[in-house]
Amino acid sequence: MADTAIGDMYKLLLCWRYLRTRWIALASVISVTLGVATMIVVNSVMAGFSHEMQTRIHGILSDIVFESHSLSGFQDPQWHIEEIERAAGDQIAGMTPTVAVPAMLSFQVRGQWVTRQVMFIGIDPRTHAQVSDFGQYLQHPTNREQLSFSLREGGYDTTDNQNPTETPTRPALEHAGWPHRRMRVERERLWKERLETKKSAENSATRSVDQQVQAVLAATSPEDISEETPSDATEDGESRKNPFQTARPAQGRVMDLAKEQFTGIVPGIGLASFRNRQGVDQFLTLPGDDVKITFPTAGTPPKAVSDNFTIVDFYESKMSEYDSNFVFVPIEALQRMRGMIDPQTGIPSVNSIQIRLKPDAKLNEVRDRLREVFPSDLYAIATWRDKQGPLLSAVDMEMAVLNILLFLIIAVAGFGILAIFFMIVVEKTRDIGILKALGATSSGIAGIFLGYGLFLGLLGAGAGLVLGLSITYNINQIRQAVEWCTGSRVFDPSIYYFFQIPTIIDPFTIGWIILGAIIIATGSSVLPAVRAARLHAVEALRHE
Amino acid sequence: MSDLEMPPKIAPMLETRQVCKQYQSGTTTLEVLRGVDFTLEKGGFLAVVGQSGSGKSTLLHVMGLLDAPDSGEVWIDGQRIDNLPGREKDRLRNSAIGMVFQAYHLLPELTALENVLAPLLIRHGIFDWFTQRGIAQEKAKVLLDRFGLSNRLHHRPRQLSGGEMQRVAIARALITDPQVLLADEPTGNLDEESGAGIIEALAELNRDKGLSIVLVTHDADIASQARGIVRLSAGTVDIMDSGAADSAA
Ligand SMILES: Nc1ncnc2c1ncn2[C@@H]1O[C@H](COP(=O)(O)OP(=O)(O)OP(=O)(O)O)[C@@H](O)[C@H]1O
Ligand SMILES: [Mg+2]
């Protein structure tokens, strides 16, 4: 009598033969393939966007923000820094105090005043770069290493240093800095002279001076000025000067605007420029120009004060929300102008302390430790994730919903497999009877269809993986091709701050997608397989 | 043909005891088998005859473990098999019982050679198969060669004639070296000449290899080539015209 086990060689053979002869089943494979490919592409792009956004946000915000509830801030940041150090010093990599107030920024464009609502942020240029990626978002290479709030003698990047190859150049920044300032001052002086001479000419009825002015104006066109500039020699000597001194010319003395600057500020690039449809940045104002900022003082009730400032650089985080809102200024200057320095003791106040953690530190743990030490009615302590919580969770939500919807595509493919397999079971009923007559077990018969489903799942998921990855890797070329064909922009760089569609391929996500697709394909074959296994041998053999 | 006297103490090859089988269709009950006692001695060759609808196929299915009797017992080589668990029945079908059908019942996706190998493919696991394949294929080729099909090894069933298909089916039934061969009207779809060839082949297997055979037919000529004839009528065994029947009594 038989003592060998019932094996499974025939399942493999029959699966293979069915796969080769039942092309209809491949129809459902195609939907699995498309579903998997779409999921991979969408997840990669969403992860790319999300990552890009998070790194931007995180680069701008420090890990933990320690704030006062009031605009006036809290006194003695040094004492607070020491207390924070004591509470969680082992996990902290750096701290810097900041003062942030809402303000109005006004600057002149071709004689017209443009006013923008901004967040005016006082920072400590020595320590601020330690707590965020602030430094790398600046446009002058030396400022990226160490920001100084004094105007540079040119040398601003004319390409986007974060993405030099993909983005159009910014020729306007070539003359930014002292050359631009000198040229502007010269122009203004000539304009004034012209007006005066015009007036006196009207008086004396002489017209020839007008032509002279015209000639002088032509001589001081931008090209000439930049060539004339005695560049490097003066740069160090001038720009290393304390900006606060230059900012506060002695009372009564008339400032020489061509040689001196007001307090330096670094506005977001979005405040000073706009991006046209070609993706080229058009600048309304440049480093070297002067602006007026109106902001509230620290007292109660706050009074509005105005002062002049000089743009010394631009800040470009590529998060439009920040780039069109932030204006950075030296913290001491802002504290002084707002009256945040105690006249008796000289101890300053700040709004917040930005904390950067060590790479392996636990974000929420440090936050909770600080919350224990500092009373919550006086201080708001939040991680960067807390601050961007609604945005981040909206993105997560969006991704979850998209994934569910896309997974439904694969589920639909699963129903396709179910229907097709039922058809195959009916069609193959007699063969199932034959196999049973030859000694195939019920589980063996089920195994044929389960194996078949698994084959289809693997095939569909594998093809989907290849398709999805190749689309993801070439998404920007595909975008260009689509743009070329349709003639319209699919991905508008004046809306997004990056020129490429960012993608991140996460092997873990892809693993889940593949696994899910295979499970759905195999799972859909369970019912037909059970039905096949339950067939009665004799009845199956009678089936025509 | 009753010259082959078996000593009574040797267990018969295949035996049914009071096998009953009825079909329910709607309100009417059709009693197809009403206590069939059937005995096939070792090395026996019995023809089962009877009117159409008399239950010949049903009896064969019960003996071949494709169908379960409502009551009664089925014994093979001294072992009761109708009450075995499913897997054991599958195993017996795969190794001890060979079946041949009127409609050939070959698997259309497989070649003649693969069809013959099918029972062994079902028996062996994937890794097992790689060690067995050479021997099995050789054996299948020898069998097909014996039935004159050595130049049809890689033909699909639909590329074969009826006689060829039936010979492939017999080769498939024999590849497992079964103890008993159950053939249900194997010549029913064939012309006289190829039918005769099939029956001749079966008689030869019985004569030379001592294979026990049950052959269902309604052709008297064919039945007469068996060593004994059993007639089914009214759900019971009517006439048992064989020496084997005497020894079972
Ligand atoms: N599943 C079933 N349900 C109902 N009745 C059935 C079923 N299977 C068989 N029968 C009936 O049982 C009877 C016996 O059938 P069976 O196939 O055994 O006859 P047979 O002797 O082989 O006939 P033939 O010589 O025509 O092949 C027939 O009347 C048939 O209608
Ligand atoms: Mg019949």
Side-chain angles (χ1 to χ4, degrees):
Chain A
M1 202 140 296
D3 52 356
T4 47
I6 301 290
D8 41 20
M9 187 57 211
Y10 71 109
K11 295 181 217 162
L12 207 64
L13 185 66
L14 286 173
C15 281
W16 178 237
R17 288 290 154 83
Y18 287 176
L19 205 62
R20 277 180 30 186
T21 53
R22 304 295 120 165
W23 288 104
I24 179 100
L26 290 177
S28 49
V29 169
I30 292 168
S31 40
V32 174
T33 301
L34 292 178
V36 167
T38 320
M39 278 193 83
I40 288 175
V41 172
V42 167
N43 271 288
S44 301
V45 171
M46 289 286 280
F49 267 98
S50 170
H51 175 82
E52 196 75 9
M53 204 178 71
Q54 291 205 17
T55 42
R56 297 269 165 217
I57 294 172
H58 191 196
I60 298 153
L61 302 172
S62 52
D63 289 313
I64 293 180
V65 181
F66 179 100
E67 294 177 288
S68 73
H69 291 302
S70 80
L71 260 187
S72 316
F74 50 86
Q75 264 213 327
D76 202 356
Q78 199 51 43
W79 176 83
H80 283 89
I81 284 176
E82 277 159 22
E83 283 299 304
I84 293 168
E85 183 78 37
R86 199 167 306 147
D90 53 326
Q91 308 216 41
I92 289 173
M95 281 184 268
T96 189
T98 60
V99 174
V101 287
M104 303 296 281
L105 168 79
S106 307
F107 55 92
Q108 251 183 325
V109 181
R110 294 179 193 277
Q112 295 209 311
W113 283 97
V114 176
T115 300
R116 301 241 160 114
Q117 183 186 328
V118 298
M119 183 53 77
F120 200 31
I121 304 172
I123 58 167
D124 179 353
R126 286 181 303 280
T127 55
H128 197 77
Q130 291 166 17
V131 301
S132 71
D133 300 337
F134 174 78
Q136 77 184 52
Y137 299 143
L138 301 173
Q139 305 307 309
H140 196 284
T142 321
N143 278 349
R144 281 203 288 278
E145 275 153 38
Q146 175 61 59
L147 171 65
S148 105
F149 278 99
S150 42
L151 191 60
R152 302 273 178 188
E153 188 65 49
Y156 291 89
D157 288 333
T158 50
T159 53
D160 181 352
N161 75 69
Q162 295 171 62
N163 194 355
T165 50
E166 319 280 350
T167 51
T169 56
R170 294 163 171 168
L173 282 175
E174 199 183 327
H175 307 296
W178 281 111
H180 174 74
R181 189 174 179 81
R182 280 193 291 270
M183 187 180 82
R184 187 175 55 82
V185 170
E186 181 67 8
R187 264 200 192 149
E188 276 167 11
R189 190 181 58 77
L190 285 173
W191 185 248
K192 229 181 257 171
E193 266 180 26
R194 187 189 168 198
L195 285 182
E196 276 163 18
T197 40
K198 216 174 176 181
K199 241 181 251 167
S200 57
E202 269 165 22
N203 294 345
S204 62
T206 340
R207 301 244 165 210
S208 63
V209 185
D210 212 17
Q211 279 136 25
Q212 280 172 24
V213 171
Q214 217 76 63
V216 177
L217 268 174
T220 52
S221 65
E223 292 82 7
D224 295 343
I225 283 187
S226 64
E227 276 159 27
E228 278 168 23
T229 308
S231 57
D232 296 13
T234 51
E235 192 198 271
D236 270 359
E238 240 162 353
S239 61
R240 291 277 177 262
K241 258 188 244 161
N242 188 341
F244 315 127
Q245 280 178 355
T246 52
R248 310 203 91 218
Q251 286 290 316
R253 182 173 75 85
V254 177
M255 223 174 120
D256 180 0
L257 287 178
K259 293 215 175 71
E260 291 173 88
Q261 66 168 96
F262 297 104
T263 304
I265 56 158
V266 177
I269 200 160
L271 286 166
S273 72
F274 62 91
R275 185 162 283 178
N276 66 15
R277 299 298 288 180
Q278 283 75 47
V280 179
D281 292 314
Q282 306 276 302
F283 287 88
L284 302 173
T285 179
L286 284 173
D289 284 334
D290 293 334
V291 300
K292 283 188 194 301
I293 296 181
T294 311
F295 51 93
T297 57
T300 316
K303 289 193 249 333
V305 292
S306 281
D307 212 337
N308 289 321
F309 296 88
T310 302
I311 298 173
V312 297
D313 205 337
F314 287 133
Y315 166 84
E316 184 179 23
S317 66
K318 298 203 186 283
M319 281 288 291
S320 60
E321 191 192 333
Y322 298 119
D323 290 348
S324 56
N325 252 317
F326 287 175
V327 176
F328 296 95
V329 65
I331 189 166
E332 290 93 342
L334 188 58
Q335 281 167 331
R336 200 182 50 242
M337 291 184 257
R338 291 192 68 214
M340 289 177 93
I341 299 171
D342 192 313
Q344 267 95 52
T345 58
I347 295 172
S349 297
V350 297
N351 281 142
S352 71
I353 294 172
Q354 312 282 326
I355 303 168
R356 178 67 121 196
L357 300 185
K358 288 178 178 158
D360 52 346
K362 303 222 170 29
L363 199 59
N364 289 350
E365 191 194 304
V366 176
R367 176 197 61 192
D368 294 340
R369 256 199 260 171
L370 293 180
R371 279 181 180 172
E372 274 169 36
V373 177
F374 296 95
S376 64
D377 50 344
L378 291 179
Y379 305 99
I381 301 166
T383 66
W384 69 276
R385 279 186 182 280
D386 297 337
K387 294 220 128 194
Q388 291 298 329
L391 182 60
L392 295 181
S393 61
V395 170
D396 284 351
M397 176 76 169
E398 207 173 308
M399 245 169 129
V401 169
L402 255 174
N403 271 324
I404 290 169
L405 290 179
L406 290 173
F407 221 79
L408 285 179
I409 295 180
I410 302 180
V412 168
F415 279 105
I417 290 177
L418 188 87
I420 288 171
F421 270 40
F422 265 118
M423 269 171 51
I424 293 177
V425 168
V426 170
E427 189 196 353
K428 290 277 151 206
T429 299
R430 212 171 61 113
D431 295 15
I432 292 163
I434 296 168
L435 288 168
K436 288 198 164 175
L438 296 179
T441 59
S442 292
S443 58
I445 303 284
I448 293 174
F449 290 92
L450 290 178
Y452 192 22
L454 181 67
F455 259 154
L456 296 187
L458 284 173
L459 204 72
L465 178 71
V466 172
L467 186 65
L469 287 184
S470 31
I471 292 176
T472 306
Y473 279 122
N474 300 306
I475 190 135
N476 284 297
Q477 282 90 313
I478 293 170
R479 167 177 62 85
Q480 279 162 10
V482 170
E483 282 171 1
W484 186 81
C485 286
T486 61
S488 65
R489 287 204 93 108
V490 174
F491 183 82
D492 193 340
S494 64
I495 297 168
Y496 303 100
Y497 264 70
F498 19 83
F499 275 72
Q500 294 274 321
I501 300 175
T503 56
I504 288 180
I505 291 164
D506 176 22
F508 192 70
T509 312
I510 289 181
W512 273 110
I513 294 169
I514 298 287
L515 192 71
I518 291 171
I519 287 173
I520 283 190
T522 317
S524 322
S525 57
V526 166
L527 273 177
V530 167
R531 195 194 140 110
R534 290 228 180 113
L535 283 176
H536 191 278
V538 175
E539 278 163 26
L541 282 173
R542 284 223 180 98
H543 187 88
E544 283 308 314
Chain B
M1 283 226 170
S2 58
D3 52 348
L4 193 83
E5 281 289 342
M6 286 286 187
K9 59 183 179 243
I10 297 177
M13 187 72 253
L14 189 64
E15 200 182 358
T16 64
R17 297 179 185 168
Q18 285 300 307
V19 162
C20 293
K21 184 79 187 172
Q22 58 187 35
Y23 288 110
Q24 197 86 37
S25 51
T27 50
T28 57
T29 308
L30 182 66
E31 291 186 66
V32 181
L33 304 178
R34 320 180 183 188
V36 172
D37 287 313
F38 174 92
T39 308
L40 174 71
E41 297 300 339
K42 283 188 177 139
F45 181 5
L46 284 180
V48 177
V49 295
Q51 283 186 323
S52 182
S54 58
K56 307 181 294 293
S57 297
T58 307
L59 178 62
L60 210 67
H61 291 150
V62 168
M63 292 195 293
L65 298 178
L66 285 176
D67 215 342
D70 295 330
S71 65
E73 299 168 6
V74 181
W75 291 67
I76 194 164
D77 200 15
Q79 190 202 1
R80 189 173 169 191
I81 57 171
D82 61 287
N83 59 354
L84 289 174
R87 281 204 169 245
E88 288 301 316
K89 287 185 181 174
D90 293 334
R91 191 169 292 181
L92 282 172
R93 278 204 301 272
N94 186 246
S95 56
I97 302 165
M99 295 196 87
V100 179
F101 304 93
Q102 180 177 355
Y104 325 123
H105 288 338
L106 298 179
L107 293 166
E109 271 86 13
L110 305 186
T111 64
L113 183 64
E114 286 165 342
N115 263 293
V116 175
L117 286 170
L120 297 181
L121 286 167
I122 288 171
R123 183 183 301 177
H124 293 295
I126 294 165
F127 297 107
D128 206 6
W129 177 245
F130 284 107
T131 59
Q132 303 287 323
R133 193 173 61 175
I135 309 164
Q137 279 186 337
E138 204 44 52
K139 193 172 174 184
K141 281 176 187 165
V142 169
L143 273 171
L144 285 166
D145 191 35
R146 188 199 296 167
F147 292 114
L149 293 166
S150 45
N151 54 352
R152 298 277 189 281
L153 298 184
H154 302 294
H155 286 57
R156 294 288 160 91
R158 75 180 114 80
Q159 298 166 308
L160 298 173
S161 74
E164 286 168 335
M165 281 196 274
Q166 197 57 293
R167 281 178 278 161
V168 171
I170 294 171
R172 180 179 66 185
L174 296 176
I175 190 122
T176 57
D177 292 321
Q179 291 167 290
V180 59
L181 183 73
L182 308 176
D184 192 353
E185 299 190 45
T187 58
N189 285 1
L190 301 179
D191 62 85
E192 220 165 292
E193 202 176 325
S194 42
I198 297 287
I199 298 302
E200 179 50 40
L202 292 181
E204 200 180 287
L205 282 165
N206 176 252
R207 209 165 45 236
D208 301 349
K209 312 271 171 182
L211 179 67
S212 312
I213 299 172
V214 177
L215 171 69
V216 169
T217 180
H218 48 233
D219 186 319
D221 276 356
I222 288 170
S224 66
Q225 292 191 48
R227 295 199 196 183
I229 298 173
V230 173
R231 178 174 295 278
L232 261 185
S233 80
T236 51
V237 176
D238 198 24
I239 306 165
M240 292 202 76
D241 172 21
S242 84
D246 297 339
S247 66

